[in-house]
Amino acid sequence: MEITIVTDNLTKTFGAFTAVDHISFEVQKGEIFGFLGANGAGKTTAIRILCGLLHPTSGKAEVAGFDVFKHTEKIKKNIGYMSQKFSLYEDLTIRENISFYSTVYGLSDYQIKEKTEQLLTRLQLHSEADKLVHSLPLGWKQKLAFSLALIHDPKIVFLDEPTGGVDPITRRQFWDLIYETADEGTTVFVTTHYMDEAEYCDRISIMVDGKIEALDTPDILKSQFKAATMDEVFYKLARGTSTK
Amino acid sequence: MNSIEINNISKSFGSKKALQTINLNVEAGEVFGLIGADGAGKSTLFDILVTLSKSDSGTARIEGLDVEKDYKKIRKIVGYMPGRFSLYMDLTVYENLDFFASIFGGTIEDNYELIKDIWVQIEPFKDRPAGKLSGGMKQKLALCCALVHQPRVLFLDEPTTGVDPVSRNEFWNMLKNLKRKGITILVSTPYMDEAILCERIALMQEGKIMAIDTPSNITKAFNKPLFSVKSTHQRKLINTLRRFDQAYSCYFFGQSVHLAAKNESVSAKEISDYLNENGHPEIQVAKISAGIEDCFIELMRKTA
């Protein structure tokens, strides 16, 4: 099986504070990997390192085959990223947003034309293509943002709380998109505070105070922690750190 | 007696109807939840109630005071925790609290009793700049600042959004303690599982209230037989279930799929047999009662 993310004792300190404390894990191609933890556990710091945005202090990590110390620019070209605050330009049209992101990722004019058509067809947005993103319903913005994070066919897509504040139907439709993407062979690295969504991941890691305290499939974690739901697993693990 | 009365409130921003004829009463001392996603109109309603913005039409009263005519009086008796963290990032934890106490003409000491339980949890960090706190701690400080003038009505706009499940649970325990002190609490949340922690709730979507009642009455009103279905491959399972001729709706709910059936006569065995015929292993089907999220989805389908 092809490994797309590997970390070995990856560590990041800020002064005396260790935000990420010797974390080691591997993520496979096409896997949906849930990255959970309480607020302040170190998730954001770890994701920033894996996206090539922050230099680690020690340890090793490779993302899409590139070293997080040396080849951060190559990492950025090979990953997609989407956060809860959709990074769309609200005062550009849908077509302009597609064109902008394609250009940033260095696609050729021909590719841009092709991608625009594909994307508008897949999202059924042809009739809306020349409207401002501002006017789109939230669920559509989310789908568009996700598609744009994938516009350069990255090997891995990082989703940082992609479904925060989204209604229950749209949230589930979004997971249908995640499944499709993973089935096509893209690795999905996702954080969420919805514990039902943790169940949808192939494997889950739970960070506590900078360390990965649990890592396995939802079923195995539940039996390991003698818990009926992922919510309970999370609660048992994170309880000690709730003063943060 | 009603602490909050909302009559036919509407508000638009350009062509967008943010609130459409909202009617709602909250009783004194009640913990009332506005449940809905981003864009449902929750924050717009909060802004009107705490006198930060005016409605296009309709009226609202807080403790008998009109939100437009008596706005100055209302501001003295309400506490408001906005959805966005709005404290001074470069003041320390203590300085923030002291500031909010003093602009209401009081001191921390005068009002200590009300905030004590929450304050002791952040006191170890009292000299830290507010901007350097983690999410859960910021939330506790914001709550202290909203309470330090002893408000009669507390407005909490998505206090738990982006907060992990453990901190969210702690936050709700704090609200229970505040309720015991007789404060009316209007709280909004996008998390359906928090609905059952409120005495009554309004389910909101696209500027409208889809239902108002106690959580248990809302779930009792779900009028389709509902089943929790499990098998080894969830994604194949949901696709097979969607083709089932008795399927009214199918949605993922964590480790199972919730199937609402069209007819009362559908049995767990019938579903199980159907899945067997379609080659699904280790099938588990159980009839269940609807939760708030099932109801929210159903109401969205009906109003769409």
Side-chain angles (χ1 to χ4, degrees):
Chain A
M1 199 49 158
E2 194 184 326
I3 305 292
T4 50
I5 302 176
V6 53
T7 75
D8 179 12
N9 284 307
L10 188 69
T11 300
K12 176 70 187 179
T13 58
F14 297 103
F17 177 66
T18 306
V20 175
D21 195 354
H22 296 86
I23 62 171
S24 302
F25 63 89
E26 288 180 349
V27 184
Q28 291 170 353
K29 179 175 155 59
E31 185 172 28
I32 302 175
F33 189 83
F35 198 61
L36 312 185
N39 299 108
K43 296 191 306 282
T44 304
T45 306
I47 291 174
R48 287 175 60 83
I49 296 171
L50 297 177
C51 291
L53 298 172
L54 185 69
H55 218 70
T57 309
S58 62
K60 285 184 209 159
E62 278 186 10
V63 176
F66 300 106
D67 189 323
V68 295
F69 283 89
K70 289 183 233 148
H71 300 125
T72 52
E73 287 312 307
K74 282 191 176 141
I75 289 176
K76 287 178 204 165
K77 288 200 175 80
N78 282 280
I79 61 162
Y81 175 86
M82 175 191 158
S83 81
Q84 182 182 11
K85 296 167 199 85
F86 316 125
S87 34
L88 299 172
Y89 292 89
E90 299 255 321
D91 42 7
L92 294 185
T93 65
I94 293 164
R95 198 187 294 281
E96 285 165 342
N97 266 283
I98 300 174
S99 163
F100 174 78
Y101 276 92
S102 309
T103 311
V104 165
Y105 280 113
L107 270 58
S108 68
D109 287 352
Y110 174 75
Q111 284 172 315
I112 294 174
K113 220 175 151 187
E114 203 182 48
K115 282 280 180 189
T116 306
E117 274 309 299
Q118 267 178 18
L119 217 153
L120 290 175
T121 306
R122 190 152 63 114
L123 297 179
Q124 299 174 333
L125 280 175
H126 269 291
S127 57
E128 316 282 314
D130 296 309
K131 288 189 184 155
L132 296 183
V133 160
H134 176 77
S135 65
L136 272 186
L138 190 76
W140 285 107
K141 277 188 201 170
Q142 191 190 34
K143 284 172 198 158
L144 179 61
F146 184 62
S147 304
L148 290 178
L150 295 168
I151 197 108
H152 54 303
D153 300 319
K155 294 195 173 93
I156 303 154
V157 62
F158 289 87
L159 305 174
D160 196 2
E161 284 184 44
T163 56
V166 174
D167 72 68
I169 293 183
T170 308
R171 202 152 75 76
R172 285 169 174 79
Q173 288 169 345
F174 192 74
W175 272 90
D176 285 337
L177 284 182
I178 292 181
Y179 284 141
E180 275 173 35
T181 307
D183 285 344
E184 286 161 14
T186 310
T187 303
V188 180
F189 191 98
V190 58
T191 73
T192 179
H193 284 313
Y194 290 101
M195 287 303 124
D196 58 334
E197 293 185 349
E199 308 270 3
Y200 309 150
C201 300
D202 294 318
R203 285 191 307 147
I204 294 162
S205 76
I206 302 179
M207 263 184 105
V208 181
D209 287 341
K211 296 192 178 76
I212 289 184
E213 292 291 350
L215 198 173
D216 222 312
T217 65
D219 283 344
I220 293 175
L221 287 179
K222 279 180 277 181
S223 72
Q224 195 180 327
F225 287 88
K226 299 184 175 58
T229 60
M230 277 310 299
D231 205 28
E232 258 181 69
V233 173
F234 189 89
Y235 206 87
K236 282 184 175 173
L237 265 171
R239 188 195 288 271
T241 61
S242 56
T243 52
K244 293 201 74 167
Chain B
M1 185 215 155
N2 287 328
S3 177
I4 305 173
E5 288 181 8
I6 304 168
N7 295 306
N8 295 317
I9 288 273
S10 293
K11 176 146 182 113
S12 297
F13 297 103
S15 61
K16 178 154 173 58
K17 291 176 180 166
L19 292 173
Q20 302 183 49
T21 12
I22 300 293
N23 285 288
L24 179 68
N25 292 326
V26 179
E27 287 167 28
E30 193 172 26
V31 177
F32 192 100
L34 293 179
I35 317 291
D38 289 356
K42 308 188 299 296
S43 300
T44 306
L45 186 58
F46 271 92
D47 284 350
I48 293 168
L49 297 177
V50 299
T51 77
L52 294 177
S53 122
K54 286 184 178 178
S55 63
D56 296 342
S57 58
T59 57
R61 290 179 170 273
I62 311 293
E63 298 277 303
L65 300 165
D66 184 88
V67 287
E68 293 197 12
K69 284 191 227 104
D70 308 314
Y71 73 93
K72 284 189 178 165
K73 284 181 190 154
I74 289 178
R75 289 179 186 183
K76 292 204 172 78
I77 60 159
V78 302
Y80 172 48
M81 186 171 154
R84 202 171 288 174
F85 184 67
S86 308
L87 303 179
Y88 295 91
M89 299 288 191
D90 44 6
L91 292 185
T92 66
V93 168
Y94 181 83
E95 284 166 344
N96 266 291
L97 186 63
D98 190 45
F99 173 77
F100 280 95
S102 64
I103 53 168
F104 283 104
T107 62
I108 298 175
E109 291 71 34
D110 296 342
N111 302 296
Y112 190 67
E113 192 51 37
L114 187 61
I115 59 165
K116 190 176 74 184
D117 296 340
I118 308 159
W119 177 248
V120 291
Q121 299 177 50
I122 47 174
E123 202 175 12
F125 309 97
K126 69 180 166 62
D127 296 323
R128 191 181 284 189
K132 303 245 157 146
L133 294 175
S134 71
M137 299 301 266
K138 276 184 187 158
Q139 176 206 46
K140 284 172 190 163
L141 175 59
L143 183 58
C144 279
C145 292
L147 280 171
V148 73
H149 61 293
Q150 303 206 26
R152 277 146 69 186
V153 188
L154 190 57
F155 292 88
L156 306 172
D157 193 6
E158 297 206 14
T160 56
T161 291
V163 175
D164 68 73
V166 175
S167 304
R168 289 207 274 137
N169 192 41
E170 285 179 350
F171 194 80
W172 279 94
N173 285 330
M174 289 184 247
L175 294 193
K176 269 185 225 155
N177 288 333
L178 290 173
K179 181 198 155 53
R180 279 190 213 113
K181 291 173 181 161
I183 300 175
T184 305
I185 301 173
L186 183 67
V187 55
S188 69
T189 178
Y191 296 105
M192 304 286 145
D193 57 346
E194 293 182 345
I196 50 162
L197 302 168
C198 303
E199 289 162 278
R200 283 194 308 143
I201 52 175
L203 302 184
M204 285 185 81
Q205 177 75 5
E206 290 177 348
K208 291 182 198 150
I209 291 179
M210 302 189 293
I212 303 178
D213 213 325
T214 60
S216 67
N217 282 342
I218 285 183
T219 51
K220 270 184 224 151
F222 191 91
N223 62 4
K224 300 240 166 11
L226 188 68
F227 298 89
S228 162
V229 187
K230 288 187 201 178
S231 175
T232 48
H233 197 298
Q234 294 294 94
R235 279 136 81 181
K236 281 185 195 149
L237 176 69
I238 202 165
N239 288 330
T240 309
L241 286 173
R242 279 174 183 152
R243 291 193 301 269
F244 183 43
D245 60 4
Q246 282 299 327
Y248 169 76
S249 68
C250 304
Y251 292 98
F252 283 119
F253 271 77
Q255 57 193 331
S256 63
V257 172
H258 284 190
L259 168 80
K262 285 178 187 161
N263 293 308
E264 215 35 77
S265 61
V266 175
S267 67
K269 186 172 177 308
E270 201 176 334
I271 298 165
S272 181
D273 289 346
Y274 166 77
L275 290 171
N276 249 323
E277 283 164 28
N278 283 278
H280 285 272
E282 295 175 48
I283 302 156
Q284 295 177 44
V285 185
K287 193 157 187 195
I288 54 165
S289 315
I292 293 292
E293 194 155 357
D294 295 296
C295 297
F296 197 98
I297 289 175
E298 175 55 14
L299 287 163
M300 275 183 74
R301 288 169 63 103
K302 275 188 190 156
T303 51

